[in-house]
Amino acid sequence: MGQDGYRAEDIDTSRPHPARIYDYLLGGKDNYEVDAQAGERLAAAAPEVRIGLRANRAFLRRAVRHVVGSGVRQILDIGTGLPTSPNVHEIAQEVAPDVRVAYVDNDPIVKAHGDALLSRSGSTSIVLADLRDPQAVVDHPDVRRVIDLDEPVALLLVAVVHFLTDAEQPGQVVATLRDALPAGSFLVLSHATGDFADRSEAQAVYNKATATLNLRTRAEVERFFDGFELLEPGLAQVPFWRPDGPPPARSDEIGFYGGVARKTG
């Protein structure tokens, strides 16, 4: 049994998992045949998906550099997925070597790979927990070992909230996390949308996965930032959030919104 209470036989490899599909589409090796098959079906249904995932990772890099450059020295990354270099702590520590990062994911395979890769310096932790229970995330001892909730935190919810159904009250989930953060904290969030193309076939790929894909409109995604002040340029397709180079081809088709916001009170 693992230290978080799971056994190897509890890991479900019979159904695709979003983190492993994501890994496959980014060219990673930490996935199974069911994930690869789902990834190929997703790419057939949404031909821009690989471009979109790379653009989402690039948004993450720019956003992390911004929040660390603004003075934040601790990051809570929920729904981190399988390690993809450069990882969040690598990006952040290039800007400020003293940044601490707590990674959270609900896939034991992600936890196992994270444990193998992360340093034992005390500046990082990898936690097996679920976004659907946000209070348990912020109360987890391995989160609190790294994250001091009396000091500003950058909360990363990158390409994860769209795996919560409306019945799972994603707005309340984000609000619970927001309320745990002190003033001066940041929210970095990206979310899939069907605003730019009909992506019902892409959604259907996830119907047999461990989590469904729930596309939301710009207005619906923007509501997740309630209680924060969005930084310029506001909520944007991820290639257009403070780009540091020419946007990739087909950027106008990319169905990911991203934004960074600050909690002022």
Side-chain angles (χ1 to χ4, degrees), residues 87-163:
N87 295 291
V88 166
H89 68 282
E90 294 169 330
I91 300 163
Q93 290 169 3
E94 282 184 359
V95 179
D98 59 337
V99 175
R100 305 184 306 280
V101 181
Y103 294 104
V104 177
D105 204 279
N106 70 348
D107 184 357
I109 294 175
V110 172
K111 171 80 164 65
H113 281 278
D115 281 338
L117 288 174
L118 295 180
S119 73
R120 299 300 175 187
S121 65
S123 64
T124 55
S125 66
I126 177 83
V127 176
L128 187 68
D130 199 307
L131 176 62
R132 295 171 181 85
D133 190 351
Q135 195 62 52
V137 171
V138 297
D139 290 341
H140 195 290
D142 282 339
V143 170
R144 301 304 290 269
R145 176 174 61 81
V146 174
I147 302 296
D148 177 0
L149 290 174
D150 291 326
E151 298 293 333
V153 178
L155 169 64
L156 308 189
L157 296 174
V158 176
V160 64
V161 177
H162 51 233
F163 294 118

Side-chain angles (χ1 to χ4, degrees), residues 169-250:
Q169 298 184 299
Q172 185 58 49
V173 166
V174 177
T176 298
L177 295 168
R178 177 200 65 212
D179 292 347
L181 303 178
S185 295
F186 287 87
L187 171 62
V188 177
L189 182 145
S190 67
H191 194 293
T193 183
D195 282 359
F196 306 104
D198 179 2
R199 288 294 171 253
S200 53
E201 289 184 18
Q203 282 184 284
V205 172
Y206 285 90
N207 289 343
K208 295 181 180 179
T210 58
T212 59
L213 178 64
N214 303 275
L215 304 177
R216 295 185 171 97
T217 66
R218 178 190 177 90
E220 289 171 324
V221 176
E222 205 159 35
R223 282 197 287 272
F224 294 128
F225 291 93
D226 287 352
F228 295 89
E229 289 188 5
L230 273 162
L231 307 184
E232 289 296 329
L235 189 65
Q237 284 172 277
V238 288
F240 304 117
W241 191 89
R242 301 194 180 190
D244 52 11
R250 302 177 67 178

Side-chain angles (χ1 to χ4, degrees), residues 35 42-44 79 159 165 206:
D35 308 304
L42 188 60
T165 66
Y206 285 90

